[in-house]
Amino acid sequence: MKNIGILLSGRGSNFEAIANNVASGKIPNARIAIVIANRNDAGGIETARRLGLEAIVIPSKGMAREDHDREVVAVLRQHNVDLVCMAGYMRLLSPWFVKQFPHRILNIHPSLLPAFPGLEAQEQAFAYGVKVAGCTVHFVDEELDHGPIVVQRAIPVLEADDEKTLAARILEQEHIAYSEAIDLVLEGNFDIIGRRLVRMQK
């Protein structure tokens, strides 16, 4: 049984999708060991408690990045976490944090990276006039939205789309892609060659 740690800052809709897929067995041999928020008003904490999961707030306001990261990592280690999943966690991890979990921290981004990193990616894509949008699950490294790509899912941008409808349709794909990526990484049947994740033959 592998232990997943969730980091979030808001309502955590991706976290809820992951929790549902763990509960249903779509992510087999895994459990969510701990949910950590960096904000007291993060809705995902209430969701976690409603689902019977252990959840804790470690406030980041006013703390140096690495000092906060050390507190978070200490809790992840207490819960023997095998994989860290960022689900709307609005903080850039320090290089020290990344080194504690090499190729064991996942993040999801609502664009087809390397296009449109950073905030408001769906709005950036829509304003740019792209014909295809989507989402990317990637390993976290020291740079923003940069680590090796694990899973991408693409959708066409429809003539009738606006920023909100496009964002909603991307979010549907995020909920599928994140669980797919978690399953792949926990299975461990891959290698990283350069920036490429290559699935190994079973």
Side-chain angles (χ1 to χ4, degrees):
M1 183 71 70
K2 301 281 189 173
N3 290 328
I4 298 170
I6 303 281
L7 304 183
L8 53 80
S9 297
R11 66 193 174 100
S13 76
N14 270 306
F15 149 60
E16 201 162 354
I18 292 165
N20 290 338
N21 285 332
V22 167
S24 70
K26 283 184 185 170
I27 303 174
N29 304 314
R31 61 186 282 270
I32 296 175
I34 185 69
V35 178
I36 301 173
N38 69 310
R39 296 166 54 121
N40 287 307
D41 59 353
I45 288 290
E46 289 308 311
T47 302
R49 289 174 179 154
R50 178 168 50 77
L51 294 172
L53 299 171
E54 190 170 344
I56 184 173
V57 177
I58 303 176
S60 59
K61 194 169 183 184
M63 285 192 75
R65 187 186 311 279
E66 193 172 309
D67 290 345
H68 182 259
D69 283 358
R70 285 179 183 275
E71 287 194 21
V72 172
V73 167
V75 173
L76 293 171
R77 286 201 171 126
Q78 281 167 17
H79 290 83
N80 299 310
V81 164
D82 298 291
L83 182 67
V84 180
C85 296
M86 298 169 70
Y89 191 62
M90 305 307 288
R91 284 178 67 79
L92 193 61
L93 301 183
S94 65
W96 178 86
F97 191 137
V98 174
K99 285 190 180 79
Q100 309 313 302
F101 296 93
H103 292 146
R104 287 190 295 138
I105 308 172
L106 290 177
N107 189 30
I108 190 156
H109 186 71
S111 79
L112 296 173
L113 290 172
F116 312 117
L119 297 174
E120 297 173 341
Q122 306 100 318
E123 291 88 339
Q124 290 183 61
F126 187 79
Y128 204 85
V130 299
K131 301 301 183 189
V132 178
C135 61
T136 303
V137 186
H138 63 94
F139 286 116
V140 174
D141 65 10
E142 290 85 354
E143 295 180 51
L144 178 67
D145 299 329
H146 177 266
I149 290 167
V150 181
V151 171
Q152 287 186 309
R153 292 184 73 92
I155 58 167
V157 180
L158 306 177
E159 297 294 335
D161 271 329
D162 59 23
E163 290 176 12
K164 283 188 176 169
T165 61
L166 180 61
R169 288 171 54 239
I170 290 173
L171 188 61
E172 287 175 7
Q173 296 303 311
E174 288 181 44
H175 293 167
I176 299 166
Y178 214 155
S179 291
E180 186 183 327
I182 291 167
D183 190 27
L184 189 162
V185 172
L186 288 180
E187 201 174 62
N189 207 29
F190 66 90
D191 201 1
I192 306 271
I193 301 171
R195 285 190 49 81
R196 295 178 63 238
L197 179 141
V198 180
R199 299 191 195 203
M200 310 300 282
Q201 295 298 317
K202 289 188 180 180

